[in-house]
Amino acid sequence: MGHAHSNSGPAGHAGHAVQPLVGHLVAPWILFATGTALIILTMVTVAMRYVDLGEANLFIALAIAGVKATLVSLFFMHLRWDRPFNQLMFLGGIVFVVLMMAFCLMDTGQYRGAQFTGNPVDVQAVLDRDAPNAPIAAKKSPDLP
Amino acid sequence: MSAHASHGDHHGTQGHDDHGHGGGHGHHNAEYPFLAHHFETPAQQFDSAKLGMWLFLVTEVLFFGALFVGYAVLRSRFPDVFKYASAYLDTTMGAINTGVLILSSLTMAMGVYCAQTGRKTALIVCLWLTMAGAAGFMVIKYFEYTHKFHVHLVWGEGFYKPVTDDGGLQRAELSSTAVVPLTPAQTTMSSGAVSAQQAATPSFVQLPAGELTAIAPPAQGPAGMAPEVIDAKAAEHAADPSTHGHEALHLQDASMPPNTHLFFAIYYAMTGLHGIHVLIGMGVIGWLIVRASRGDFGPKYYTPVDLVGLYWHIVDLVWIFLFPLFYLID
Amino acid sequence: MTTLPARPAAPTYDTPESDNYLIHDKGFLSWILTLDHKRIGVMYTVSVLLSFLVGGIFALLVRTELLTPGRTFIDADTFNHFFTLHGAVMVFLVIIPSIPAALGNFVLPIMLGAKDVAFPRLNLFSYHLWIAGAICTVVSLVMGSFDTGWTFYTPYSTTTSAGGVVPVIVGAFILGFSSIFTGMNFIVTIHKLRPPGMTWFRMPLFLWALYATALIQVLATPVLAITLALVAVERLANIGIFNPAMGGDPVLYQHFFWFYSHPAVYIMIVPAMGIISELIAVHSHRQIFGYRFIAFSSVAIAIFSFIVWGHHMFTSGQSPLMNTLFSAITYSVAIPSAVKIFNWICTLYKGSITLNTPMLYALAFIILFTIGGLTGLHLATLSTDVHLHDTYFVVAHFHYTMMGSALIAMVGGLHHWWPKITGRMYNDKLGMIACAIVFIGFNITFFTQFMLGSHGMPRRYYDYQPEFQTYHVISTIGSYIMAGGFVLTAMYLIQSLVSGKRAPANPWGGATLEWECTSPPPYYNFHEAPKVGEPYDFSNLQWDERGEGYVTVKPTEAKA
Ligand code: HEM
Ligand SMILES: [Cu+2]
């Protein structure tokens, strides 16, 4: 039940500060620690650029970004102390993006390297005759594999 | 109404209807002047607002998410393009901007803390600092963009237009005209109408958008701007004294992979959308500053600060991904 | 909880006319600036029905043109514009907002026992966005309209010479946000504004359905918004992301579009199923069979609907791997739909059915949705879809689901809640006749299209082989019959507003909360807190001759 209780919990680490009527108070030191960690991670990720690990570079960069995003959402956005349903919705949104990305990449991956290099000759002949200006009427480009 | 009357005796048996459906409407709550009539308690109102905001953030995640999917698909199709073109972005500026946004997120989070604990002046200071961060971000972005416009690191056909002495292709020019590649034969036919600038680029003709009913068919196939064309242009460039000394390096680079313009298309789409969000953020932070100065916020009521804070953090969060994905390839 | 200041004594409400939401305030502004969910619901209903009229006129024009091969009375280009307008108006302006925004807005808070939705201002803003979206569509018409089909496929949509593409895309973008905000509002309302006693499993099934729908609205619609924004930018600035001539990827466009638009078909059908659950239970006066199955199947459909979009792309150049995956997953989505059908039939079985207009619409829904859903399975099968894709078979399929199911449920729901909304009874005889005419006309129109499609008639074609003409003529005649049914409906509904009998609080014997308040409901929904009971427990309801409605007999009273 929504209004039976608020999500204000005992915020022990906030010490003697005035308590808000609702919501959660996050102590400044946590916020500053988070900010510092974010800046350090930014430096790390920039530095990683100069280390060549091939494909792994992308994944390391994404992992660092993921850690940063987690820090932002847990502490800056108070998600760590928020209602489970809010956490679930946020995660759910990300899951759906990942799902969409996975499916689209799976599809694109099937064609990796197989670039479209023009219509088959017979198709092109018909297009040249009937629809010479159609945007899809592609000349076979000799410059592609 | 008989059906209704038969319910009369339920009245009062419900613990909560004292504040509830009877006469709660219309009157103003003295203790919580901010409490809307259809809520029972401040906690309920706060929880509702918070859930609503999180749902909105979910829509933001999906809104940007689709563009991230587009990015992923393009990158997986043209890995070389992304490796190559990322070098044209200024990592230092990107990194500084990341730092600026993170700091402004920190000041925003501190702002929420100050509002929660009733520190009015500190809250206003935090909000101004956040605003300054946002503005700083946009200023840096502005310099990045104008520089790129200047050297034609743009989307679409503009990418392949050589830079000329009159300062290159301006942003306004880009959006109001469409550059249509034509076959040499067509160019000859219409060459009477083209300006000196266009004459330097015989394979493109500029048309005012108004006249352009349909984008004319491209000379090249679906694979896009074929490298040989670019080579030809680069050569033509080198021969043209008016373009010397300008920085449109990509046009002189024979190693540029085909479809490099797509990198910039998705770059502008994503950073542009992000920039719009920063601008909107500045607007709402400004609104918070006005309300905070009026003394609207305190430990009892700080919901708007909290919600705008959440919005601002998600803007930061998106940039945290944009930065490595665009600036830090290789 | 804190003590609130004493409130003014509750006014007495003896007759429904003494105060209700319709007469509480007067004047045009009191409507278009209202924060009352009931008025917003009514305004949505009126707007949606007007759009339905517009979309319907385009449909009749399209069908009339198809009476003969070649030109009948409009040229090919106009034809393209008309079928596009028909589709876009019906999808974006009519069906998507019809149930959640129109009926849902009116019913949801009352059914829940709440005073309003969680964010009344946002709710009004959604409606204003809807109006803005409709205006954009009109602007598009003025600027040369659009001929892209409602799907806006690239690269055609980015290259067509029709002048109104960008305005209508802006309109669809705005309508998307209208839909998102409605969804957000509903989720928060259901989570946070349930009164004591209204547990999740005491919620009427319509609320479960609206909840599931709202989840889809929030999760899917942003993707449509950004996709359309990209198309607009592509048209204006030629960025090339979707343009194959510039190395872009039109299949990516289709992934984006269907990532929204398949879930969108569930934005249409899930709330329709919710209405049918109410209609079947109330009008057969029987505890709904398998409450939890129906409730969870709504949520299951909502989630599964996100991973089947590729079944629209079997012939678009999607890879064989994804085709296979999407085909398989699509089958699984049919399961929760079937669960519902079986549960409704079990509810009807041995129920004491009152055969009135809402019930007739519910029965029509079950038949039409069964046909629509089953033909979906033909389309989900790869080998048959290669043959049937982009033929009239698909047209028939989605009209059975969108019109025969979603819209029929909307009309059924309108009849069910009409007494509550307007305080008037309509002529039930005429209602049943009109329903029968619509049902017959609908089947004549669209069943023929299954035949047309399986014989190979492509959709969206202006011209056709002479051997298809018989089917086309039958189909067009059917559409006229259907239109006649809707005209009749409009007539008796308007007549009921003028001279209909006063509606009792509970004309059908429903046990959900909206039947406990007067018809039309008072401005604040309930004079006193409603007692939340089981939504489908009809045992305490008795027909009362004097009031010509049902009254609640408390078990204690009955015993005494
Ligand atoms: C019960 C399960 C369902 C299945 C298995 C199913 C399956 C399919 C498939 C495979 C297609 C693609 C056909 C093609 O283009 O070749 C399709 C098209 C379509 N379906 Fe369904 N469907 C179902 C229910 C629904 C419902 C409930 C609705 C709407 C309320 C709906 C609306 C549509 C629409 C609008 C299209 C065509 C879109 C277009 O191309 O313009 N379907 N369906
Ligand atoms: Cu589908």
Side-chain angles (χ1 to χ4, degrees):
Chain A
M1 272 312 308
H3 54 292
H5 41 119
S6 78
N7 61 0
S8 57
H13 50 272
H16 53 274
V18 187
Q19 284 297 317
L21 180 65
V22 289
H24 186 88
L25 196 61
V26 179
W29 73 263
I30 297 186
L31 300 178
F32 279 102
T34 308
T36 316
L38 289 171
I39 297 286
I40 292 174
L41 284 171
T42 306
M43 292 184 200
V44 171
T45 195
V46 174
M48 281 304 296
R49 188 185 183 189
Y50 303 99
V51 188
D52 189 9
L53 296 173
E55 279 292 291
N57 268 19
L58 171 65
F59 294 100
I60 293 173
L62 281 179
I64 295 178
V67 173
K68 286 164 74 181
T70 314
L71 288 177
V72 170
S73 43
L74 285 184
F75 300 112
F76 281 177
M77 302 172 90
H78 300 194
L79 203 56
R80 156 114 176 52
W81 301 276
D82 213 327
R83 294 192 161 276
F85 188 73
N86 294 359
Q87 301 170 343
L88 178 75
M89 283 314 289
F90 192 55
L91 261 181
I94 293 168
V95 166
F96 274 99
V97 172
V98 170
L99 215 70
M100 183 180 172
M101 190 175 292
F103 276 53
C104 289
L105 281 181
M106 252 150 87
D107 190 29
T108 311
Q110 292 287 304
Y111 297 110
R112 201 193 300 275
Q115 292 294 332
F116 182 69
T117 53
N119 293 313
V121 183
D122 45 341
V123 173
Q124 191 56 49
V126 175
L127 284 173
D128 283 343
R129 191 189 67 222
D130 294 344
N133 284 335
I136 43 158
K139 300 276 184 296
K140 190 145 180 107
S141 353
D143 39 84
L144 282 165
Chain B
M1 285 311 302
S2 44
H4 166 92
S6 71
H7 273 280
D9 51 351
H10 296 295
H11 189 47
T13 59
Q14 300 278 302
H16 87 302
D17 68 357
D18 284 344
H19 321 295
H21 305 268
H25 271 265
H27 77 245
H28 221 66
N29 187 306
E31 190 179 358
Y32 306 120
F34 51 83
L35 187 64
H37 73 77
H38 56 295
F39 291 113
E40 313 275 318
T41 62
Q44 186 192 18
Q45 182 169 2
F46 177 78
D47 275 357
S48 301
K50 202 93 189 232
L51 174 55
M53 192 64 202
W54 276 106
L55 290 172
F56 181 72
L57 296 190
V58 169
T59 69
E60 289 282 3
V61 167
L62 280 136
F63 201 61
F64 278 103
L67 284 179
F68 278 104
V69 174
Y71 171 94
V73 165
L74 288 179
R75 182 160 175 180
S76 87
R77 282 184 57 205
F78 307 113
D80 300 348
V81 166
F82 280 72
K83 282 214 173 77
Y84 172 84
S86 169
Y88 285 99
L89 300 185
D90 190 329
T91 312
T92 320
M93 284 204 182
I96 292 175
N97 253 352
T98 312
V100 167
L101 265 197
I102 287 173
L103 290 179
S104 79
S105 246
L106 176 60
T107 53
M108 188 72 227
M110 278 308 293
V112 174
Y113 175 82
C114 295
Q116 284 175 321
T117 50
R119 296 176 166 87
K120 180 178 159 185
T121 323
L123 166 63
I124 296 173
V125 170
C126 281
L127 289 176
W128 273 116
L129 286 175
T130 313
M131 181 75 114
F137 180 89
M138 285 317 286
V139 167
I140 294 178
K141 207 79 237 154
Y142 172 79
F143 283 122
E144 277 193 82
Y145 275 7
T146 40
H147 174 72
K148 290 200 179 53
F149 284 139
H150 211 75
V151 297
H152 293 192
L153 288 169
V154 292
W155 61 87
E157 287 92 341
F159 185 77
Y160 298 104
K161 267 182 68 71
V163 178
T164 54
D165 258 349
D166 54 351
L169 194 66
Q170 295 304 313
R171 182 214 270 270
E173 196 184 341
L174 252 179
S175 54
S176 65
T177 61
V179 186
V180 179
L182 294 177
T183 60
Q186 283 170 296
T187 318
T188 334
M189 273 155 37
S190 58
S191 61
V194 297
S195 68
Q197 180 198 342
Q198 287 150 348
T201 60
S203 57
F204 288 90
V205 163
Q206 273 188 343
L207 298 174
E211 283 173 28
L212 194 79
T213 46
I215 306 296
Q220 287 83 38
M225 316 303 171
E228 51 161 18
V229 180
I230 292 151
D231 291 350
K233 253 205 254 291
E236 174 190 296
H237 236 298
D240 181 353
S242 73
T243 61
H244 274 306
H246 284 278
E247 307 172 67
L249 296 173
H250 61 287
L251 289 183
Q252 278 128 47
D253 185 357
S255 71
M256 180 170 71
N259 292 314
T260 301
H261 59 279
L262 281 178
F263 174 86
F264 290 94
I266 192 81
Y267 165 79
Y268 283 107
M270 296 185 80
T271 56
L273 185 70
H274 179 262
I276 293 173
H277 277 80
V278 174
L279 289 177
I280 296 173
M282 290 171 73
V284 282
I285 292 168
W287 169 72
L288 282 188
I289 292 176
V290 172
R291 287 196 64 181
S293 322
R294 226 164 48 195
D296 282 2
F297 306 125
K300 278 188 183 170
Y301 180 68
Y302 62 92
T303 316
V305 188
D306 205 20
L307 301 191
V308 171
L310 288 179
Y311 171 84
W312 190 247
H313 297 312
I314 202 109
V315 171
D316 183 22
L317 215 148
V318 168
W319 183 260
I320 283 177
F321 283 97
L322 289 182
F323 173 58
L325 286 180
F326 281 110
Y327 291 79
L328 296 183
I329 308 175
D330 249 11
Chain C
M1 199 179 286
T2 42
T3 351
L4 300 176
R7 57 195 158 81
T12 45
Y13 301 90
D14 292 322
T15 53
E17 307 93 273
S18 65
D19 181 39
N20 66 53
Y21 80 100
L22 288 172
I23 57 173
H24 187 80
D25 294 303
K26 291 207 169 52
F28 183 65
L29 284 185
S30 82
W31 279 86
I32 62 158
L33 297 181
T34 182
L35 298 181
D36 177 14
H37 69 95
K38 299 183 286 303
R39 284 193 167 193
I40 294 173
V42 169
M43 291 191 297
Y44 260 121
T45 310
V46 173
S47 319
V48 161
L49 290 178
L50 285 178
S51 309
F52 179 57
L53 177 67
V54 174
I57 289 172
F58 283 122
L60 291 177
L61 292 172
V62 168
R63 280 301 341 150
T64 306
E65 170 54 39
L66 288 170
L67 272 174
T68 61
R71 185 190 170 98
T72 306
F73 76 109
I74 49 178
D75 60 43
D77 204 34
T78 316
F79 176 82
N80 290 347
H81 284 83
F82 281 4
F83 79 68
T84 302
L85 279 162
H86 161 68
V89 168
M90 287 299 198
V91 170
F92 294 115
L93 286 172
V94 180
I95 302 190
I96 287 185
S98 71
I99 299 178
L103 289 179
N105 245 320
F106 189 93
V107 174
L108 179 137
I110 315 186
M111 257 191 173
L112 199 64
K115 281 183 274 190
D116 207 323
V117 291
F119 311 117
R121 248 170 255 283
L122 188 66
N123 200 19
L124 178 67
F125 184 55
S126 297
Y127 177 66
H128 290 164
L129 284 181
W130 187 94
I131 294 284
I135 290 175
C136 286
T137 314
V138 175
V139 168
S140 157
L141 276 177
V142 174
M143 287 178 57
S145 176
F146 54 112
D147 60 353
T148 57
W150 77 280
T151 47
F152 302 112
Y153 268 20
T154 58
Y156 186 73
S157 60
T158 52
T159 51
T160 170
S161 60
V165 177
V166 171
V168 78
I169 281 179
V170 173
F173 184 94
I174 294 175
L175 288 170
F177 275 91
S178 163
S179 173
I180 288 174
F181 291 145
T182 303
M184 274 168 52
N185 230 329
F186 285 4
I187 294 179
V188 177
T189 309
I190 289 178
H191 267 271
K192 303 291 179 192
L193 292 187
R194 278 177 289 122
M198 179 59 86
T199 58
W200 281 94
F201 291 110
R202 271 185 174 177
M203 283 201 324
L205 286 166
F206 185 40
L207 296 188
W208 272 99
L210 284 176
Y211 182 76
T213 309
L215 284 177
I216 313 180
Q217 284 174 302
V218 166
L219 284 168
T221 320
V223 176
L224 175 78
I226 191 68
T227 309
L228 292 181
L230 282 176
V231 172
V233 173
E234 182 115 23
R235 258 188 95 80
L236 295 172
N238 207 12
I239 56 173
I241 290 176
F242 296 141
N243 185 353
M246 295 173 71
D249 192 345
V251 178
L252 180 65
Y253 171 83
Q254 295 183 21
H255 278 305
F256 282 176
F257 183 82
W258 291 113
F259 183 85
Y260 164 74
S261 288
H262 182 79
V265 310
Y266 286 96
I267 295 179
M268 309 172 191
I269 200 69
V270 171
M273 292 165 158
I275 289 187
I276 298 306
S277 301
E278 297 301 318
L279 263 51
I280 298 266
V282 171
H283 297 279
S284 53
H285 306 278
R286 189 159 181 271
Q287 169 80 40
I288 190 101
F289 186 89
Y291 173 94
R292 287 192 186 216
F293 274 104
I294 298 186
F296 284 131
S297 68
S298 288
V299 180
I301 289 179
I303 292 169
F304 274 107
S305 71
F306 280 91
I307 42 175
V308 298
W309 77 84
H311 65 219
H312 295 272
M313 299 168 58
F314 289 156
T315 63
S316 305
Q318 185 174 239
S319 59
L321 170 72
M322 296 317 290
N323 280 352
T324 318
L325 267 175
F326 277 126
S327 173
I329 307 174
T330 301
Y331 278 112
S332 69
V333 176
I335 296 171
S337 312
V339 164
K340 293 193 186 223
I341 300 265
F342 291 133
N343 280 304
W344 293 325
I345 292 175
C346 291
T347 310
L348 286 168
Y349 180 69
K350 287 196 170 161
S352 51
I353 297 174
T354 314
L355 206 58
N356 53 15
T357 314
M359 187 56 161
L360 216 52
Y361 274 107
L363 296 178
F365 175 97
I366 293 185
I367 296 169
L368 299 179
F369 181 68
T370 305
I371 298 177
L374 287 178
T375 50
L377 293 180
H378 297 131
L379 296 172
T381 314
L382 284 172
S383 49
T384 44
D385 185 65
V386 170
H387 175 64
L388 295 172
H389 175 71
D390 266 354
T391 68
Y392 266 78
F393 193 92
V394 176
V395 177
H397 157 72
F398 70 70
H399 279 89
Y400 266 83
T401 47
M402 300 217 280
M403 171 156 202
S405 313
L407 204 100
I408 287 291
M410 151 81 181
V411 178
L414 190 64
H415 282 83
H416 183 67
W417 285 298
W418 185 266
K420 186 56 63 187
I421 296 174
T422 64
R424 304 285 183 159
M425 300 301 287
Y426 50 84
N427 185 326
D428 197 49
K429 276 240 159 49
L430 284 179
M432 299 218 280
I433 293 172
C435 177
I437 295 177
V438 168
F439 182 78
I440 293 167
F442 178 88
N443 281 297
I444 295 177
T445 311
F446 291 109
F447 205 83
T448 9
Q449 297 189 1
F450 281 128
M451 267 109 82
L452 268 177
S454 48
H455 287 116
M457 168 81 205
R459 69 192 278 203
R460 293 176 174 171
Y461 270 34
Y462 174 69
D463 200 359
Y464 53 80
Q465 303 293 322
E467 69 251 36
F468 291 132
Q469 192 178 2
T470 320
Y471 288 128
H472 273 298
V473 170
I474 296 176
S475 180
T476 303
I477 292 173
S479 70
Y480 296 157
I481 297 177
M482 197 164 35
F486 282 119
V487 170
L488 179 59
T489 310
M491 276 166 31
Y492 69 76
L493 285 183
I494 291 171
Q495 181 261 334
S496 91
L497 289 180
V498 181
S499 59
K501 244 182 12 179
R502 290 231 170 274
N506 192 352
W508 318 122
T512 43
L513 294 181
E514 79 272 27
W515 304 112
E516 297 205 1
C517 61
T518 52
S519 304
Y523 185 61
Y524 302 134
N525 291 354
F526 297 98
H527 301 144
E528 62 238 18
K531 181 180 179 304
V532 181
E534 292 298 327
Y536 301 110
D537 177 7
F538 301 103
S539 54
N540 297 339
L541 289 160
Q542 257 176 27
W543 177 255
D544 172 39
E545 282 302 334
R546 287 161 306 156
E548 301 221 311
Y550 284 80
V551 292
T552 316
V553 187
K554 286 209 317 172
T556 45
E557 273 176 18
K559 265 179 245 148

